[in-house]
Amino acid sequence: MDLQWYPGHMTKARRMMQENMKLIDLIVELVDARAPLSSRNPDIDQMGRQKSRLILLNKADLADERKNLSWSAHFQEKGFYTVMADARSRAGLKVIHSMIREACQEKLKRDERRGIKNRPIRAMVVGIPNVGKSTFINTFAGKACTRTGNRPGVTKGKQWIRLDKNVELLDTPGILWPKFDDPQVGERLAMIGSVKDEIVNIDELSLRLLAYLKEAYPGTLRERYGLDEDQAPDRLLADLARERNCLKKGGELDHSKAARLLLDEFRGGRLGRITLE
Ligand code: G4P
């Protein structure tokens, strides 16, 4: 899928992130648990190589539970701390708090050796658009937080959210851009709704999703829509249109309407918890 982002935004966001990198101890990198590789930009590994890293497999509530576990293991093997999260919920915050401390053990020990007491861990949230960065910051910061800014040692204008006496979070997340080198990356990002639908061929995308679902999650289409999964994707789409009464004015089947319905239901988790890679 041929998709373009705007290099102007990219350059500015990248410069800003590099500046902010100097101020922090920890990167909290959000990825979408439904496509944990496609939804991350590996440049962050280079940019943040001196920093501790916590990877949040966000939207884990929408992703396959077994795959969440294997992706967590994958990132842990790479040396990252990992938590599965639903950024909208406060339920997992305790785990995240303790994981932040664990990820920053070295800094905490270094401070102790140098006699520095109570210097909070400073963290920045990063990720590609739509992975849940703002949601996470809002949930994590909650109501009780205080915003601090313009203090000595803090670049003017930077706002820090004090989470507790141990952790401060930069209030603006770092935006990364997806890498579309592999056409499947664009496709998966479009499926999870991270690419504007206006620049995507929805019909084609739905056929790819149908093909994937019948392979990777057999029974899903039958259960949800009563489809005969032995058929080719275009037949499945036609049957879905018929099943859900997606018709054009003259009574002809409206494949695009069925395609949108499928994608909406998939994105909203109504087909169950599904991971695309
Ligand atoms: P961003 O700052 O990284 O761009 O993402 P943002 O927080 O705006 O979140 C994008 C959408 O994803 C929001 O939905 C948000 O509610 C949803 N979201 C974030 N985290 C989670 C999660 O862990 N689980 C689930 N299920 N949803 C999550 P929205 O405002 O309704 O936007 P949209 O769905 O209309 O795109």
Side-chain angles (χ1 to χ4, degrees):
M1 213 165 277
D2 188 21
L3 302 165
Q4 292 294 327
W5 292 93
Y6 301 100
H9 288 171
M10 261 163 82
T11 322
K12 193 168 163 234
R14 203 188 157 93
R15 202 168 43 230
M16 178 106 102
M17 204 181 319
Q18 242 144 6
E19 255 172 45
N20 290 337
M21 212 57 95
K22 296 176 199 148
L23 309 171
I24 58 158
D25 308 297
L26 172 76
I27 298 169
V28 179
E29 181 189 356
L30 268 71
V31 301
D32 191 311
R34 294 166 298 171
L37 286 188
S38 297
S39 65
R40 76 184 294 259
N41 181 328
D43 288 352
I44 191 69
D45 293 346
Q46 174 69 19
M47 256 195 278
R49 67 184 183 285
Q50 314 281 10
K51 308 291 172 183
S52 306
R53 183 94 54 90
L54 172 60
I55 293 194
L56 285 194
L57 272 178
N58 196 38
K59 308 200 185 184
D61 56 299
L62 295 172
D64 185 327
E65 282 165 291
R66 263 182 324 119
K67 296 220 171 134
N68 284 345
L69 291 174
S70 49
W71 279 114
S72 291
H74 166 86
F75 288 122
Q76 278 158 19
E77 272 164 29
K78 288 191 167 299
F80 302 131
Y81 291 84
T82 309
V83 180
M84 293 173 240
D86 172 352
R88 300 162 311 165
S89 145
R90 295 183 58 79
L93 291 181
K94 224 171 157 180
V95 179
I96 295 172
H97 263 284
S98 62
M99 207 53 112
I100 287 179
R101 284 190 74 75
E102 213 175 310
C104 293
Q105 277 167 58
E106 274 185 31
K107 171 214 146 23
L108 295 171
K109 281 190 196 135
R110 202 168 50 233
D111 281 359
E112 203 178 301
R113 276 200 305 276
R114 293 176 182 165
I116 302 168
K117 281 197 189 121
N118 301 330
R119 192 168 68 89
I121 293 164
R122 287 209 174 130
M124 171 167 64
V125 170
V126 307
I128 69 164
N130 209 42
V131 284
K133 297 180 294 302
S134 319
T135 308
F136 175 70
I137 291 176
N138 285 336
T139 306
F140 201 43
K143 289 195 190 91
C145 71
T146 50
R147 278 166 200 270
T148 61
N150 299 342
R151 289 182 300 121
V154 179
T155 308
K156 199 165 179 287
K158 291 265 178 283
Q159 293 280 317
W160 296 87
I161 303 167
R162 172 153 257 186
L163 300 174
D164 57 25
K165 69 179 185 353
N166 298 316
V167 186
E168 285 185 1
L169 194 67
L170 192 60
D171 81 338
T172 38
I175 302 174
L176 295 163
W177 267 261
K179 274 198 135 93
F180 293 123
D181 304 349
D182 170 357
Q184 278 207 314
V185 167
E187 197 172 285
R188 291 184 187 121
L189 290 175
M191 285 174 185
I192 62 177
S194 280
V195 170
K196 282 199 181 73
D197 277 348
E198 296 88 87
I199 59 168
V200 172
N201 181 333
I202 290 289
D203 291 22
E204 198 185 305
L205 191 66
S206 73
L207 294 179
R208 304 285 297 170
L209 181 59
L210 287 166
Y212 178 77
L213 289 173
K214 76 178 197 141
E215 268 318 298
Y217 292 92
T220 301
L221 295 168
R222 192 182 52 240
E223 275 163 40
R224 178 80 188 164
Y225 306 115
L227 301 183
D228 169 9
E229 293 183 353
D230 288 336
Q231 303 183 87
D234 53 343
R235 293 293 300 274
L236 287 170
L237 187 62
D239 283 356
L240 174 59
R242 203 169 295 115
E243 195 61 39
R244 287 296 164 113
N245 226 5
C246 300
L247 301 174
K248 292 183 189 162
K249 268 202 184 115
E252 199 186 327
L253 291 178
D254 189 341
H255 290 208
S256 298
K257 194 170 173 190
R260 270 194 305 278
L261 180 135
L262 176 77
L263 284 162
D264 281 349
E265 297 213 336
F266 165 69
R267 289 169 186 165
R270 283 187 293 277
L271 301 182
R273 299 176 60 161
I274 287 161
T275 298
L276 296 174
E277 61 189 3

